Structures are given as C-alpha cells and as structure tokens.
Amino acid sequence: MMASEMASSTLPWLTLSIFVPIFFGLLVLLIGRDDNPGPARVLSLVGSIVGLLVTIPLYTGFNPDTAEMQFVENKPWIEAFNLNYHLGIDGISVWFVLLTAFITIIVVLAGWEIIKSRVAQYMAAFLILSGLMIGVFCALDGMLFYVFFEATLIPMYIIIGAWGGPNRVYAAFKFFLYTLMGSLLTLIAFIYLWHASGGSFDVATWHKLPLDKTEQIFIFVALLAAFAVKVPMWPVHTWLPDAHVEAPTGGSIVLAAIMLKLGAYGFLRFSLPIAPDASHSLAGLMIALSLIAVIYIGLVAIVQDDMKKLVAYSSVAHMGFVTLGFFVFNVTGMEGAIIQMISHGFVSGAMFMCIGVMYDRLHTRRIDAYGGVVHRMPRFVTYFVLFSMANAGLPGTSGFIGEFTVILGAVQYNFWIGLLAASALIWGAGYSLWMVKRVAFGPVANEQVDGMSDLCSREFLILGLLAILTLFMGIYPKPFTDLMHPSVQALLQHVSLSKL
C-alpha cells in the first residue's frame, strides 16, 4: 500500500496543514486578554479559515488513480534512533485532513459568543488540537504518529476540565486515563516493530515485515488496546458518555467528529496491514464486538433521558458500523466504513451543535424539560429533524450511504451478520425519532420553552454548512469513493495476499 511514494510538491502542504493552526493557536495565546476577547476570537477564526485553505491543494492536487502516498515529506528527525519527520497522505487519509480543518472552523464559530471566560485559551486549545489531529492522519513514521496521537489528549483534557460541566474533572481524568493506558501497549508494540525491522520506524517497512502468526497476534492485541478505546468499541466505551456530557459544545463536536476517527484510522494504517493474518484470525472477535456496539448500545441509547448522553451512545453504535466494515474484508464494507466515518463527522457534529443551541437557551439537556420547541424555533427544528433523520440513516442523507454500504459488505461476508447489522437501522430510528418527538413536537411544555428564541445568523450558518455537506454526501457520494477506491483496493489486496 505504501511501497512507492509520489514525489512531493514544491510547497510542504502537509507541514502547513499541521502547523498553521498550531501557529495561530500559539499566537492567540500571546495576544489574548480576558478583558477584551474580541481580537482572540477574530484571530482564531482567521487561523481556522487559513488552516482549511492550506488543505485545499491536498484535494485539488491529489491524483485519484493511484494508491501511492502523495505530498510526501521525509526529513531526518532524531537520527540516533532512525526517527524521521515523514508525512504523506493517500485516498483514505486526505478526507480526514480536510474534515479536521473544516470542523475547526465550526468549533470556533460555535464558541464565538457562548465562551465568555478565558476565550483565548479556549480557542487556542482547539487550534492546536486541530494541528495535532491532522498530524495523526499524515504521519508515516511510527513514532511521529505516536507523538501526535498522544499529544491530542492534552488539549482535549484541558477543554473538558476547564470549560466542562459540574463533573468535568472526573470526566476529563477518566478520558485521559482510559486513552493513555491503552496507548502504552501500543508503544511496546511499536518498539517491538522497530527492533524486528532492524531499527526502523518507517510504517511502510513495518507493512512488509515477515512476522509469524504469534507475533502478529501480539501486535494486533497491543494496537487494539489503544485503537479500541479511542473508537470507542464495546466494552471500553464507558468514558465517552461522561466526556460528552461534561464537555462544552465545541469539545463534544470535535470529540465525536474527529477524535473517535483517530482509533478507526489506526486500524487501517497499522493493525490490518502490519498484522493481516492476525486480523483474519481475530475477525470473528472484532465482528462480534462491533455487532454488540451496533445493537446493544443502540438499545442503551433509547432509554437515555439526557440528549447529549443519547447522542454519545449513538456515536458508539455508529462507530460499530465502522469496525464491522473493516473486518468483513471486502471493498464494499471498507469503503462504507470510511464513508460512515466522514458522515459521522458531519452528523454527530451537527447533533451536538443542535443540543448546544438548546442548552444555551434553557441550560438543561434533559429531554423531559423540553416539548413543543417547533412552535418557538421552527428554523432550528427543521435542522434538528434533518440531522436526527441522518443519524437514523434516512435515505438521501450521508448517514444512509455509510450504514447501507457496510450492511451490503457484511451481507457479502455472511448473510446473518448483515441481517444483524441491518437491525441497527430500527434502533437508530427508535432513539432518534423518540427524542425528536419529545423535544420538538407536541404542546409547549413550560414557560422556559415558551421564551426560547430561534436561531441567530451564526447558528443558522453553522447548521446550514453541515446540512449542505450531509445532503451532498447522501445524494452524490461518488467524489468521496473515487479518491479512496485505489487505496482501499491496495490495502485489501495486501491483507488478502498475506492471509495464511
């Protein structure tokens, strides 16, 4: 998959994509003042827009006819350990770089008026986090990947711990502890691979290692410890609802839209190509865990009385589709899983934004505190219903494309597995429609709801952008699949050829 690399372009676009938001984040920290947050807000918005603009050439200059790594940058980093600053993207990772840069703008706009204390620190944390997450998707050196992967914990820990809800310290600590502990085994696996490859951290070299079955299982399980927590897969998902409930709206958006994808991306870049035989041997386990997430966690979501917790559990269920698509080992399932990852970035981000809009007006996330919102916020409810339907997998939305394609791939692998996965559409419709019915429709529930105001222009713009992308991807997913298809085929060919 990564055996050959295309020559890099004249400008280091990947370095710019990583460090432009980090630079602006540090600049915001330097100029920010609590008594005058305006300049920090403006500079953060400028930084996020410039951060998106420098990623656009990655798409416009991308060659969709090859699975080779593109925009490659490779410089010595720590020569004593043969560590290199090695970056590159293929048809899979390019979409997550673009998604991360776009979501950063959404987050800055979402916190524009809501965050009133330590505004510069808040905005800077998201800008720095954006650069670090893009680094994860671009890294082709194992240790560079690990540094970016772990560094993302720090800004998110601060965001939850400093601007979160009443139990923010507990939620932040739980988030940090779960993800850090899982990653320690990954570090051990990386060191083992470095030793087995004769002192190389080059990911492409790791893909070619002739590891025996026992070694591959050790590597797979060690990597699973980190990636399963980050996705998160059942049963290591319990940190996610707490983190979402306590995080500010922007934190929930980034956590669901991007950070959950870091673990899923790890499966594609490391687990499957490095340990292909172990991936086949343990596929039954991974499929079983994925189906539990899809079905059981979907049922758990139905009984929630907190909107954020309901959407958090739905994220676990939707990410179950992603891991299921990876381990049915066909193009349909894997491309569906990647589409689901991108779609989930739009839809889950929009759902948490919608909940944030209501919370800003009523300061509660309890479903029973609402009712009849459509009578006071018709524009908002239009978006709320659209995104809830996308969350349930309504045809014509991006949520349908990903889930339906994964189900097709699962049916190709095994009819009964596909049937069980398809049942998730019922649970998704159940918890989405049940929440919409109780929150948006019926008579006005109380005086507080009666006093709610409809969307302001900033909120309308944010939800409008996400709605356009959700509908565009749902109606015309071809641009997304065209870019990823060669890379997915190459990965599956590598995994299939290595199968014992």
Side-chain angles (χ1 to χ4, degrees):
M1 182 177 177
M2 298 164 60
S4 60
E5 297 172 339
M6 299 187 67
S8 59
S9 60
T10 53
L11 285 176
W13 291 112
L14 294 182
T15 292
L16 291 172
S17 299
I18 294 168
F19 288 102
V20 162
I22 292 176
F23 169 77
F24 274 96
L26 296 174
L27 197 59
V28 168
L29 279 178
L30 288 174
I31 73 159
R33 291 172 48 189
D34 285 344
D35 59 339
N36 184 21
R41 290 192 178 105
V42 173
L43 186 59
S44 299
L45 181 59
V46 170
S48 62
I49 293 173
V50 174
L52 176 62
L53 291 177
V54 297
T55 66
I56 300 301
L58 302 178
Y59 176 77
T60 57
F62 194 88
N63 181 1
D65 300 322
T66 178
E68 297 174 338
M69 285 292 163
Q70 304 182 42
F71 299 95
V72 173
E73 302 173 38
N74 195 357
K75 305 291 183 184
W77 179 25
I78 305 175
E79 296 188 46
F81 298 101
N82 198 21
L83 297 177
N84 295 295
Y85 177 75
H86 192 184
L87 305 174
I89 54 171
D90 61 1
I92 297 171
S93 51
V94 63
W95 287 116
F96 299 108
V97 173
L98 293 166
L99 177 63
T100 303
F102 171 73
I103 291 296
T104 304
I105 298 176
I106 297 297
V107 167
V108 170
L109 290 173
W112 192 266
E113 296 177 358
I114 306 307
I115 302 300
K116 301 186 183 301
S117 65
R118 304 185 298 277
V119 173
Q121 291 89 331
Y122 178 86
M123 297 295 187
F126 279 109
L127 288 168
I128 293 170
L129 178 60
S130 174
L132 295 174
M133 292 188 297
I134 290 174
V136 172
F137 296 124
C138 298
L140 298 182
D141 180 277
M143 190 52 64
L144 184 64
F145 171 89
Y146 187 80
V147 169
F148 281 129
F149 191 79
E150 293 303 291
T152 59
L153 301 181
I154 300 170
M156 183 54 71
Y157 177 83
I158 294 171
I159 289 164
I160 297 173
W163 292 276
N167 294 321
R168 59 186 179 274
V169 175
Y170 165 77
F173 183 74
K174 189 174 182 180
F175 157 75
F176 193 89
L177 185 64
Y178 266 63
T179 48
L180 180 64
M181 290 295 290
S183 299
L184 293 178
L185 281 176
T186 298
L187 179 60
I188 295 172
F190 281 6
I191 293 172
Y192 183 88
L193 291 167
W194 173 81
H195 176 73
S197 61
S200 174
F201 279 104
D202 181 57
V203 177
T205 301
W206 289 357
H207 289 187
K208 303 173 192 173
L209 286 176
L211 301 172
D212 63 36
K213 188 71 167 290
T214 303
E215 288 176 304
Q216 288 195 31
I217 289 176
F218 160 74
I219 296 297
F220 187 92
V221 172
L223 296 175
L224 179 65
F227 300 151
V229 169
K230 198 73 120 183
V231 167
M233 297 179 68
W234 182 90
V236 289
H237 67 285
T238 57
W239 64 268
L240 184 67
D242 291 325
H244 271 309
V245 166
E246 299 302 327
T249 298
S252 290
I253 292 172
V254 167
L255 194 59
I258 310 296
M259 290 199 75
L260 304 190
K261 314 306 183 293
L262 302 182
Y265 178 76
F267 283 117
L268 295 173
R269 187 63 76 223
F270 293 91
S271 301
L272 288 166
I274 293 174
D277 301 324
S279 298
H280 281 282
S281 297
L282 298 175
L285 171 65
M286 299 300 295
I287 289 171
L289 294 177
S290 300
L291 288 175
I292 291 173
V294 167
I295 298 170
Y296 168 67
I297 300 299
L299 293 172
V300 171
I302 291 178
V303 301
Q304 300 304 313
D305 56 10
D306 182 298
M307 287 187 287
K308 255 195 174 185
K309 191 167 283 191
L310 186 152
V311 177
Y313 278 115
S314 79
S315 290
V316 177
H318 287 127
M319 292 305 290
F321 272 102
V322 172
T323 50
L324 175 63
F326 291 166
F327 288 92
V328 296
F329 301 111
N330 56 55
V331 172
T332 305
M334 187 167 288
E335 289 188 353
I338 298 169
I339 291 171
Q340 174 74 347
M341 291 165 70
I342 302 168
S343 167
H344 186 255
F346 301 145
V347 176
S348 66
M351 288 297 294
F352 282 114
M353 181 64 196
C354 287
I355 294 169
V357 166
M358 288 187 284
Y359 182 82
D360 293 337
R361 287 154 174 77
L362 239 59
H363 301 292
T364 179
R365 293 181 296 268
R366 290 189 60 84
I367 294 173
D368 58 13
Y370 295 86
V373 173
V374 68
H375 301 295
R376 296 295 173 262
M377 303 176 69
R379 293 197 302 173
F380 166 77
V381 170
T382 301
Y383 282 129
F384 187 48
V385 170
L386 168 64
F387 294 124
S388 296
M389 295 301 97
N391 201 42
L394 181 74
T397 66
S398 60
F400 172 77
I401 298 296
E403 292 186 5
F404 181 69
T405 312
V406 170
I407 291 168
L408 287 181
V411 168
Q412 291 177 26
Y413 181 82
N414 181 287
F415 173 79
W416 297 107
I417 290 174
L419 182 63
L420 287 172
S423 70
L425 298 176
I426 300 171
W427 318 132
Y431 56 69
S432 297
L433 293 173
W434 184 230
M435 177 175 66
V436 168
K437 176 184 180 295
R438 289 180 288 171
V439 170
F441 298 109
V444 175
N446 52 54
E447 293 180 359
Q448 287 79 13
V449 172
D450 196 42
M452 293 173 72
S453 57
D454 211 344
L455 296 174
C456 67
S457 57
R458 175 182 56 85
E459 294 165 337
F460 189 86
L461 172 64
I462 294 170
L463 295 175
L465 290 172
L466 291 167
I468 290 169
L469 290 169
T470 299
L471 292 172
F472 175 79
M473 190 176 190
I475 296 169
Y476 190 59
K478 189 174 184 293
F480 299 89
T481 55
D482 282 352
L483 252 64
M484 69 179 70
H485 189 69
S487 297
V488 169
Q489 281 190 315
L491 173 58
L492 286 171
Q493 184 179 18
H494 172 79
V495 173
S496 298
L497 289 175
S498 300
K499 183 180 178 183
L500 287 176

